[in-house]
Amino acid sequence: MTPEKILAITNQYKECLSRQGIKPKRIDPSRYFKDCDQNELLAHAAYLCEGIKEFTHDPTKYGKANRHLAAIQMCLGFAGMYTLNQLVDHNRPT
């Protein structure tokens, strides 16, 4: 996946979360995801969307950008915002 595609997908998520009034907030790293509610998962996804831009254009951090995208999509899926099929479709070439 290209850096541009990663940014396009995360910008789409960021806009959708913002329209829903979700503010970026990092989940306490000592917590289990299973103990987080839907709002916390969505806020964490928004938090990760905020920082991904710096990783996508740095070739040494491109892998980190992909891992952040995966974490964003897992949070969105666990929160019930998208199905696995929808998330897979987001990653397909346009």
Side-chain angles (χ1 to χ4, degrees):
M1 185 177 308
T2 66
E4 292 76 21
K5 176 73 173 182
I6 292 172
L7 286 176
I9 293 169
T10 54
N11 283 337
Q12 175 187 335
Y13 296 151
K14 202 166 134 176
E15 289 173 23
C16 184
L17 292 166
S18 179
R19 282 193 306 269
Q20 294 181 40
I22 305 294
K23 305 274 190 240
K25 185 175 180 201
R26 185 178 187 201
I27 290 175
D28 178 344
S30 66
R31 290 189 63 204
Y32 293 100
F33 281 99
K34 71 178 187 73
D35 295 331
C36 298
D37 65 25
Q38 182 184 31
N39 289 332
E40 290 171 311
L41 291 168
L42 294 175
H44 190 68
Y47 166 80
L48 291 172
C49 286
E50 292 288 315
I52 202 167
K53 187 175 184 177
E54 72 179 86
F55 305 131
T56 55
H57 293 297
D58 182 342
T60 65
K61 295 182 180 177
Y62 182 68
K64 189 169 187 169
N66 279 293
R67 290 188 298 276
H68 273 230
L69 176 59
I72 291 164
Q73 291 179 323
M74 292 305 295
C75 287
L76 296 174
F78 291 155
M81 189 168 209
Y82 296 103
T83 67
L84 180 56
N85 281 336
Q86 290 171 316
L87 292 167
V88 169
D89 284 344
H90 295 169
N91 295 340
R92 295 189 196 287
T94 51

